[in-house]
Amino acid sequence: GENVEQHPSTLSVQEGDSAVIKCTYSDSASNYFPWYKQELGKGPQLIIDIRSNVGEKKDQRIAVTLNKTAKHFSLHITETQPEDSAVYFCAARPLYGGSQGNLIFGKGTKLSVKP
Amino acid sequence: DSGVTQTPKHLITATGQRVTLRCSPRSGDLSVYWYQQSLDQGLQFLIQYYNGEERAKGNILERFSAQQFPDLHSELNLSSLELGDSALYFCASSVGQGGAFNYGYTFGSGTRLTVV
């Protein structure tokens, strides 16, 4: 089945710097890749997603890139702010297998933005 | 407020006991998904229901079961609880049934289960 690896597990940046989180997936048939932000005491919240027919997508300070050949995708946050501090999860949706159609998550990256 | 309601927020119980976690999906959503979040395993997919029927199963233990009722709320039943079942349990909902339609998920705030 699908397996999603996420790196790094922790990331500390200075306010204003950029942050990059990378994920790889194993199932080449996966076709949807969302990113979620989880703040302390809350459930994960969708912040951006990308479909397999698109290479890059931007939304203000965040962007996601997808390399289908290499089976990896990345989250880029520019001009980081203290409120960006949270745990970020990547996910992939496989089309086949027992978890068909359901999101398989990476283990998360704890991002800390220092003022 | 995401629109997905989970109760209770916290639950403390003893080993061997049985508990029921409840989820009300966002209005209009037909699919409900259950995930388990533990410190070292991230978000693990347990099970999905769509409009009352089971659609997909992940790594759900035989001691765990779920159902979705006609009003679309869902319950996750955990029995013969062990210390290792302590985790955050999240419910998410979506409009469609997943797969090729790529519908986004909306998560609830979770139920923190502590088994002592």
Side-chain angles (χ1 to χ4, degrees), chain A residues 86-104:
Chain A
V87 179
Y88 290 81
F89 291 95
C90 64
R93 172 173 277 156
L95 291 183
Y96 309 105
S99 300
Q100 174 188 357
N102 293 281
L103 295 179
I104 304 301

Side-chain angles (χ1 to χ4, degrees), chain A residues 31-32 36 38 41-46 49 51 89 93-95 98-108, chain B residues 33 35 37 40-43 45 48 56-58 88 90 97-109:
Chain A
N31 67 349
Y32 175 62
Y36 284 80
Q38 186 178 20
K42 297 184 179 180
Q45 180 182 13
L46 178 68
D49 57 13
R51 285 155 174 75
F89 291 95
R93 172 173 277 156
L95 291 183
S99 300
Q100 174 188 357
N102 293 281
L103 295 179
I104 304 301
F105 285 84
K107 291 192 176 183
Chain B
Y33 311 81
Y35 281 83
Q37 185 178 40
D40 58 345
Q41 292 296 319
L43 284 158
F45 169 65
Q48 178 207 359
K57 261 186 175 180
L88 266 171
F90 284 104
Q97 51 186 310
F101 296 99
N102 295 336
Y103 292 103
Y105 291 10
T106 301
F107 279 83
S109 299

